[in-house]
Amino acid sequence: MRYIRYIYVLMILVFQPMGGKAQELFVEPPSTFITSFSFTMLNGGVILVRAGVNDYADSLNFILDTGSGGISLDSATVVDLDIPITPSEKTIKGIGGIRKVSFLNNATLRLPGLAVENLNFHVNDYEILTSVYGIKIDGIIGYSFLSQYIVNINYDFLQINVFSKGEYKYPSGGFMLYPMFTALPMQSLQFTDDRKFVQRFYLDTGAGLNFLLSESYLNDSAVLKKRRKPPVVTQAEGVGGKMSMRLTTIKELKVGPYRFRWVPTYLFKDEYNVTNYPFVGGLLGNDILRRFNITFNYAKQQVHILPNLHFKDEFDYAYSGLSVYFIDEKIVVDDVVPASPAEKAGFKKEDIIVAINNNTSNNIQAYKTIMQTLGQKLKFLVIRDGMPMMLSMKPRSIL
């Protein structure tokens, strides 16, 4: 009898909540599949999706960018489609500078199988992005879209899957990151040079690079102070325009439990404090992120990463010192870094590249890929002042 009373008391203690209140567990409705659509991967892993705005007939090119705090349209696209916009006193800040912007308010983004309503597109000039990729860039899709859904990016199949908010079953395997979110996801990462460093970095699918550190963070943390080989000067592009950066490598970068060795790394003077230093030290770009199939769940502040078929892709250590842009249907040299392989080969600003080796496609992305080839002497057919000429260059390693 005493044993039975003991079991009874134990059951009360186990099943009766403190304070005499019934325990309840509130469970979100399950997430539901909404749509899927394909995307194109540009140089550096940048994601290009096709979408429409309102009822305009044209299908437009948008970059899917976790580094964007909103959603936007290119100013030339606005003019071409005669889209009415509203001026404002608001400004946006990017690596290249600060700009005042106008808006297309209460608009609808039309993706395959999904209409996202009540969006306020800001208007910016993306001519530089169009010239970088050789494809008209009509806008950027960022936080305004990503925050409303669970978005899975599958780089193996070049497919984006969109789900409603709710209880979501992530793919088996992989690893869950728990970034801090404002409008942008910020993840603590560990990297190693002569010693280990830990800092927050933006997860930026719109950046076609591996890793980027601000000079302010470098100076305060003493990263790269003991390097025997100094970084090389190069030119990079952002939403705000072109800017000079330095390029080097770090010994190791960890993303969750996953390690990458000798990662190409850009160093830049963050004059407008885009990275919000000392809170954030730089960004992790899509040339790293594309090595995972990724699920962004802004509502739960979760990012699930699963290594994919690109995980062991070789990094690009080639350095040419040659910056080219697609202008007026031509691939034009814009900058030649002093003492670089390009200067030693005899390249000049405003040279027009017609062919590299046997490739005459006039495709800037194909030409950039060829120029990332180490150990091979490349032959260029260029036009200078209306006259054809041949130049040879051998890209060198930044290690």
Side-chain angles (χ1 to χ4, degrees), residues 23 49 145 152 272:
Q23 284 184 329
V49 301
F145 164 75
N152 169 262
Y272 301 95

Side-chain angles (χ1 to χ4, degrees), residues 157-172:
F157 295 102
L158 300 181
Q159 187 171 24
I160 294 173
N161 304 298
V162 183
F163 301 82
S164 66
K165 295 178 183 179
E167 287 297 318
Y168 177 79
K169 184 177 180 180
Y170 291 95
S172 60

